[in-house]
Amino acid sequence: MDLKVSHCFIAVDDHDKALEFYRDVLGLEVRNDVGFEGMRWVTMFSPAQPDLEIVLEPPSADPNASDADREALTELLAKGMLRAVLFASDDVDATFERIQASGADVVQEPMDQPYGVRDCAFRDPAGNLLRFNQKR
C-alpha cells in the first residue's frame, strides 16, 4: 500500500491577500477557486510538486464547528498561533531574500539547525507560520 499526502490546509482570513503571497511571492499556481455557502476555498500547487495541493480555506470552514470554536480559531489565527506548511528549498538563503523583498513578516532569518537543515521562517498575511528549509 502506497500512501502519499495529497492535500494540506491553511486557514486564511483574506483569500485575495493570501493569493498575492502564495501565488505572487512564493510562485504557487492556482488550480481551483471555489465558493460555497458564502465561503471560499483556493487550491494551489507548486509546479515542482503538482500532486500535492495546498488548500487556502476559511479558519472556520468545518460545518460542525460551534460558534465558540469558530471564534477561538479566528482569534488563534489573528495571534499567529496556527502553524501552516513547511516548504523545502534547494537554496534557503535565496528563498529568504526573495520573500523578504516582498515585505513579508520575517520570523527567523536563515540559520543552521542542529537537526541537519538550514531554515528560515515567515508569517503569511493571515499570520500563519511558514518555514522554509534546505537539507545540509
Side-chain angles (χ1 to χ4, degrees):
M1 175 171 55
D2 292 330
L3 295 177
K4 294 172 41 177
V5 175
S6 65
H7 293 77
C8 62
F9 294 82
I10 298 176
V12 299
D13 57 352
D14 184 324
H15 283 82
D16 293 326
K17 285 184 182 176
L19 274 170
E20 289 175 8
F21 180 76
Y22 286 95
R23 181 192 57 216
D24 303 340
V25 176
L26 299 187
L28 301 182
E29 295 183 15
V30 175
R31 181 160 288 149
N32 289 302
D33 191 338
V34 179
F36 182 71
E37 294 187 359
M39 291 189 274
R40 182 178 179 193
W41 286 263
V42 178
T43 304
M44 310 193 78
F45 67 97
S46 167
Q49 193 176 21
D51 59 343
L52 174 60
E53 295 183 359
I54 297 172
V55 183
L56 305 177
E57 67 172 359
S60 55
D62 186 336
N64 298 316
S66 68
D67 290 342
D69 291 341
R70 287 187 176 94
E71 185 176 323
L73 286 169
T74 300
E75 289 176 5
L76 289 172
L77 180 63
K79 290 179 181 178
M81 300 297 292
L82 299 181
R83 293 179 176 259
V85 175
L86 195 154
F87 291 91
S89 170
D90 58 358
D91 186 341
V92 78
D93 292 287
T95 299
F96 177 82
E97 294 300 325
R98 189 180 75 231
I99 297 171
Q100 182 185 39
S102 76
D105 182 14
V106 176
V107 176
Q108 176 203 303
E109 293 190 9
M111 61 184 295
D112 293 330
Q113 299 291 354
Y115 41 88
V117 300
R118 181 168 179 76
D119 69 356
C120 64
F122 291 88
R123 293 211 183 278
D124 75 4
N128 294 295
L129 179 63
L130 303 175
R131 298 195 72 83
F132 300 85
N133 76 24
Q134 174 184 0
K135 291 183 180 176
R136 287 186 289 146

